[in-house]
Amino acid sequence: MSCDKSTCSACDKNGCASHGRLPNETQEQYEARQRLADRMAAIRHKVLVLSGKGGVGKSTVAANLAVSLALEGHRVGLLDVDIHGPSIPKLMGLESYAAYAEDGCIVPAEVTANLRVMSIGFMLQDRDTALIWRGPMKIGVIQQFLRDTEWGDLDVLVVDCPPGTGDEPLSVAQSLGDADGAVVVTTPQDVAVSDVRKSVMFCRRIGLDILGVVENMSGFVCPHCNQTIDIFKRGGGEAMCQDMGVPFLGRIPLDPEVVQAGDRGEPFAYLKSKTTAGVAMLEAFAPILALVGRAGGGGSSEPCACGHTPAS
Ligand code: ADP
């Protein structure tokens, strides 16, 4: 399967189309690597959303970050590679979308003209069936998603990664090549923060920049008495950031409307932007919006060392 799309601006990092096969690489593996490099070269910024454990709001942050970026007018892709718990179809109201192939590429769902979404959930016939795949199969699916989804040219790809620090997030990070970095999501209590410390170490070990940590579910404002209740404690994520020397992006409070919007498949960051949680989300996302708003990014407009002029 080939998408016939040729760029070479990634040649210094992922290998470009004019480079030969690596030692021990089959022709098929070589072509797959080139297709991945070409695909990634058409995407200016890549942001991974990671968490130390499940249930802390990683997919919620990824979905709302993607929506916030699209609302700024950027061309955005949202890729859900959380193989065991793909929540993006539900959160984005896309449960009825079934992915299909066209010209050898996987066609993502188009939410608006500038927001496309792809999820492993779109490939499952029965959404209640748990996937029982061994490691290499999962890695193969993740790589195929990155390689064969027809995003077109994007300003930014937001990737909702599997939780933890195992082979799956590692494969995503390695396949993306020149990612801008990771947004790490945690909740404030010690059991979550101790896992997120591992995520920070994981990023450092693989050379992935940490764009910052979001402390989600941080405080709950009681609608009856207006007092703030710290259900999962408060400040744990921020303290960890100071301790480990990584940027703190901000706190998002617990808000039942976040759950309801997610269950209805409505983008909270768009519909509820004026609420306390909506404002907190936008504040936390501001550095990422600024990063994508700046000129430049992943692909280079300089000629490659191989002499080709990269496609724009
Ligand atoms: P993860 O991707 O880490 O497993 P999800 O994003 O799927 O977590 O969120 C898990 C649940 O928590 C969902 O029902 C979501 O709506 C809810 N949730 C996430 N963030 C908040 C928040 N700030 N306030 C209330 N509920 C939230």
Side-chain angles (χ1 to χ4, degrees):
M1 292 204 310
S2 166
C3 303
D4 232 359
K5 201 163 199 269
S6 176
T7 65
C8 66
S9 54
C11 87
D12 60 335
K13 296 231 170 97
N14 288 330
C16 82
S18 68
H19 285 182
R21 274 160 49 179
L22 297 173
N24 303 327
E25 194 175 45
T26 64
Q27 182 65 21
E28 200 183 340
Q29 287 166 335
Y30 164 65
E31 285 170 11
R33 185 168 58 81
Q34 297 308 318
R35 280 207 310 279
L36 177 62
D38 287 346
R39 180 78 65 202
M40 292 300 115
I43 302 174
R44 277 175 55 225
H45 294 277
K46 293 139 201 150
V47 174
L48 288 85
V49 183
L50 298 174
S51 69
K53 58 164 71 231
V56 298
K58 171 181 54 64
S59 299
T60 302
V61 165
N64 283 289
L65 175 60
V67 167
S68 302
L69 286 159
L71 286 169
E72 294 271 299
H74 300 299
R75 292 163 302 172
V76 182
L78 172 60
L79 177 65
D80 174 15
V81 283
D82 191 343
I83 287 194
H84 296 293
S87 314
I88 293 295
K90 176 84 186 162
L91 294 174
M92 297 296 293
L94 293 168
E95 282 188 296
S96 59
Y97 184 79
Y100 61 98
E102 206 172 75
D103 299 332
C105 296
I106 310 171
V107 181
E110 203 169 277
V111 178
T112 60
N114 64 334
L115 176 57
R116 294 175 175 183
V117 180
M118 187 62 215
S119 167
I120 184 81
F122 296 156
M123 318 292 275
L124 305 177
Q125 302 221 314
D126 171 5
R127 305 246 149 119
D128 296 329
T129 304
L131 286 178
I132 306 171
W133 285 346
R134 290 189 190 282
M137 215 166 155
K138 291 190 261 186
I139 308 285
V141 168
I142 288 171
Q143 284 177 348
Q144 190 186 3
F145 262 34
L146 289 169
R147 199 174 54 228
D148 293 339
T149 302
E150 180 49 287
W151 298 109
D153 290 342
L154 289 182
D155 294 315
V156 55
L157 180 67
V158 177
V159 186
D160 183 7
C161 291
T165 54
D167 286 350
E168 298 152 43
L170 176 66
S171 171
V172 178
Q174 288 176 337
S175 303
L176 284 175
D178 59 350
D180 294 76
V183 170
V184 184
V185 184
T186 186
T187 48
Q189 74 274 37
D190 294 352
V191 282
V193 171
S194 69
D195 275 344
V196 91
R197 293 178 82 93
K198 291 182 200 148
S199 298
V200 169
M201 295 307 293
F202 168 80
C203 292
R204 287 192 173 145
R205 221 173 38 242
I206 63 172
L208 180 65
D209 280 352
I210 298 163
L211 300 173
V213 173
V214 174
E215 186 178 300
N216 190 29
M217 307 190 188
S218 181
F220 167 72
V221 182
C222 172
H224 306 296
C225 66
N226 226 22
Q227 296 281 318
T228 300
I229 306 162
D230 293 331
I231 295 176
F232 295 124
K233 301 187 13 188
R234 187 180 169 81
E238 187 169 13
M240 184 277 293
C241 285
Q242 279 170 5
D243 189 35
M244 298 192 81
V246 293
F248 180 65
L249 292 173
R251 294 191 179 89
I252 301 170
L254 262 172
D255 181 343
E257 292 219 45
V258 174
V259 182
Q260 284 153 23
D263 281 0
R264 283 197 302 265
E266 293 172 351
F268 183 86
Y270 172 54
L271 293 172
K272 303 283 178 183
S273 62
K274 303 273 190 302
T275 60
T276 307
V279 170
M281 265 184 200
L282 262 190
E283 277 176 16
F285 299 160
I288 319 297
L289 299 187
L291 174 83
V292 176
R294 283 198 289 274
S300 161
S301 58
E302 297 291 314
C304 290
C306 66
H308 287 104
T309 304
S312 59

